[in-house]
């Protein structure tokens, strides 16, 4: 069976000239802009939290380095536990907003688009 696939057409890797690509349809362009906007806002929120931890360590060391339970300090708790939970929550929010946006575009699409067999999602 492996002998059947021993020869193949080699396709050289190259570059894509962006000027030769056809423009995106308006629906795809709008979805991409909305996705970028959502991802950028959620990223800023996460980075603000991550950047706040060393600032809190600098300006409130008594609180940040006090013990919670065992040997864990508030600084370790915020970086290890809260930051990881925020990553999962942000991923969930991004996915939920994406699905909501796709539903909106599916509901607003014309009957012509549906008859062509276009199915997003």
């Amino acid at each position: 069976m492996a002998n059947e696939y021993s020869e193949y057409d080699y396709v050289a890797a190259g570059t894509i000239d962006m000027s030769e690509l056809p423009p995106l349809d308006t629906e795809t362009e709008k979805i991409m802009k909305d996705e970028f906007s959502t991802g950028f806002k959620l990223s800023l929120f996460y980075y603000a939290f991550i950047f706040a931890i060393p600032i809190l360590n600098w300006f409130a060391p008594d609180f940040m380095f006090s013990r919670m339970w065992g040997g864990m300090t508030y600084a370790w708790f915020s970086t290890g536990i809260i930051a990881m939970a925020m990553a999962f929550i942000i991923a969930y929010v991004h996915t939920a907003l994406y699905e909501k946006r796709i539903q909106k575009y599916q509901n607003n699409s014309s009957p012509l688009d549906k008859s062509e067999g276009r199915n997003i999602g």
Side-chain angles (χ1 to χ4, degrees):
M1 180 165 225
N3 294 336
E4 296 174 21
Y5 302 106
S6 61
E7 294 183 24
Y8 60 90
D9 293 331
Y10 178 74
V11 178
T15 59
I16 296 174
D17 187 8
M18 294 288 290
S19 63
E20 293 177 3
L21 294 175
L24 294 174
D25 60 304
T26 56
E27 182 180 346
T28 304
E29 188 174 347
K30 177 72 173 136
I31 289 172
M32 289 179 66
K33 284 182 180 179
D34 288 348
E35 273 301 297
F36 179 79
S37 174
T38 301
F40 187 74
K41 290 172 189 172
L42 290 172
S43 296
L44 283 179
F45 179 72
Y46 186 74
Y47 287 133
F49 174 76
I50 293 298
F51 186 66
I53 293 171
I55 292 173
L56 286 171
N57 286 343
W58 181 264
F59 289 107
D62 294 335
F63 170 71
M64 291 301 283
F65 296 116
S66 61
R67 306 265 182 229
M68 288 178 62
W69 65 81
M72 184 175 280
T73 63
Y74 286 100
W76 276 106
F77 181 74
S78 10
T79 14
I81 308 297
I82 295 176
M84 185 58 67
M86 279 181 65
F88 283 106
I89 292 168
I90 287 172
Y92 175 78
V93 167
H94 194 187
T95 304
L97 290 174
Y98 176 77
E99 289 174 352
K100 189 177 184 180
R101 187 176 304 116
I102 291 299
Q103 280 298 103
K104 180 180 80 171
Y105 284 109
Q106 280 182 342
N107 293 339
N108 290 342
S109 64
S110 69
L112 180 63
D113 289 340
K114 290 182 182 177
S115 67
E116 291 176 357
R118 181 170 182 173
N119 185 12
I120 300 175

